[in-house]
Amino acid sequence: MRNVIIIGSGCAGNTAAVYTARANLKPLVVGGHEPGGQLSITSLVENFPGFPEGIQGPELVENIRRQAEHFGADYVHGAVVEADFTQQPFRLNIDGEWQQTRTVIIATGASARWLNLPNEQKLIGHGVSSCATCDGFFYRGKKVMVIGGGDSAMEEGNFLTRFASEVAIVHRRDHFRASKIMLDRARANPKIVFLPNTVVEDVHDVDRGLVTGVKLQNVQTGESWERDVDGFFVAIGHIPNTKPFAGQIELDDEGYIVDHGNATTNIPGVFHAGDVQDRLYRQAITAAGMGCMAAIEAERFLETAGL
């Protein structure tokens, strides 16, 4: 019987582990399908407080894990494939083995949607990104490209013009899903150029280990051509990792956990932290803060319930 099981080992889950371990709750942390979360595929992190020279993403998340282990947190490889929140204690199926726990912190994050290009995954962290706020600074005076046609793409494009000399927004259709105000703002930005009716066939250059350009195709004419870019930002949305909890935890239309205040869900004793609920900020520091909140609320729940 566990006092708390934390599902996910990114910034949110590991921070929750630090706090619950220091409270002597002996948490069990389930690594998940993507151990380390989004930071595990991030190169230099320059906006996490306390690291004036920056820190590599995998190193940052590993440091928080070691801190949690120092205070007594246990880690297990694997993923939760099924959950039973119908009664106390809660039950979690971790790769075929059921575990019981008095509280749960869901910190499973949200996975970026990718284009599934031949070389895309090989260049993540080397010019391919899903977060302009995280990586835009590295493209001062350079040419970048944003893929997408919604508000996120327009917002990322506008943000990137603070640094880049040119931002090309590529969309496979001639009309955009973005709201009028966001689209008008992007169209009024002199640094932004639009490439409608266009898809990306591939991104280069794996041999050099960094993004140097892309191969594009016009979907109406079939014409293909190359375009030089230094950064490639995919802004076609995220997929919250909430499938095992569907039907029990209240989720919104896109599958994100609905917040019931103070990191709580609709089920007392089940808490959330990080990008599994946060669709707005998606930062390492906000995920860490939410992990802290969820841990403190779990500790309070156990104390109040006398568990």
Side-chain angles (χ1 to χ4, degrees), residues 243-265:
K243 186 176 180 180
F245 320 114
Q248 298 185 77
I249 297 295
E250 185 181 355
L251 309 175
D252 67 15
D253 292 342
E254 294 183 40
Y256 288 89
I257 292 177
V258 174
D259 178 38
H260 282 249
N262 300 327
T264 62
T265 69

Side-chain angles (χ1 to χ4, degrees), residues 47-61:
N47 54 7
F48 198 95
F51 298 94
E53 304 301 324
I55 184 172
Q56 294 294 313
E59 182 183 0
L60 174 58
V61 76

Side-chain angles (χ1 to χ4, degrees), residues 44-219:
L44 188 63
V45 178
E46 292 190 319
N47 54 7
F48 198 95
F51 298 94
E53 304 301 324
I55 184 172
Q56 294 294 313
E59 182 183 0
L60 174 58
V61 76
E62 178 61 20
N63 284 349
I64 307 174
R65 170 178 172 152
R66 288 169 55 197
Q67 189 174 359
E69 289 178 321
H70 173 74
F71 292 116
D74 292 327
Y75 280 75
V76 62
H77 293 291
V80 172
V81 296
E82 188 179 356
D84 180 5
F85 296 146
T86 58
Q87 60 184 356
Q88 275 279 4
F90 302 129
R91 299 169 66 240
L92 297 173
N93 184 335
I94 305 171
D95 287 345
E97 181 180 344
W98 287 94
Q99 294 266 7
Q100 291 186 321
T101 181
R102 298 180 175 95
T103 62
V104 174
I105 296 175
I106 302 174
T108 47
S111 301
R113 296 181 188 271
W114 298 104
L115 299 174
N116 297 318
L117 305 174
N119 292 319
E120 182 182 47
Q121 296 295 307
K122 299 173 184 176
L123 290 169
I124 291 176
H126 301 279
V128 172
S129 173
S130 63
C131 180
T133 308
C134 309
D135 300 326
F137 177 82
F138 301 115
Y139 298 95
R140 189 176 297 277
K142 298 183 178 182
K143 294 182 178 181
V144 301
M145 181 172 287
V146 176
I147 313 302
D151 280 353
S152 294
M154 303 306 138
E155 186 174 2
E156 300 252 297
N158 273 307
F159 177 84
L160 287 165
T161 60
R162 301 181 188 183
F163 311 101
S165 60
E166 179 188 271
V167 178
I169 296 181
V170 173
H171 187 47
R172 64 181 181 269
R173 299 188 179 92
D174 59 0
H175 62 278
F176 295 86
R177 293 180 292 103
S179 59
K180 184 178 185 302
I181 186 171
M182 292 298 294
L183 185 58
D184 288 346
R185 189 176 300 166
R187 282 175 168 161
N189 194 316
K191 285 189 175 183
I192 293 179
V193 296
F194 286 88
L195 300 175
N197 297 314
T198 301
V199 294
V200 181
E201 294 188 311
D202 206 358
V203 57
H204 313 301
D205 183 356
V206 170
D207 290 339
R208 294 179 59 184
L210 75 165
V211 170
T212 60
V214 295
K215 183 178 182 182
L216 302 171
Q217 183 186 58
N218 185 295
V219 296

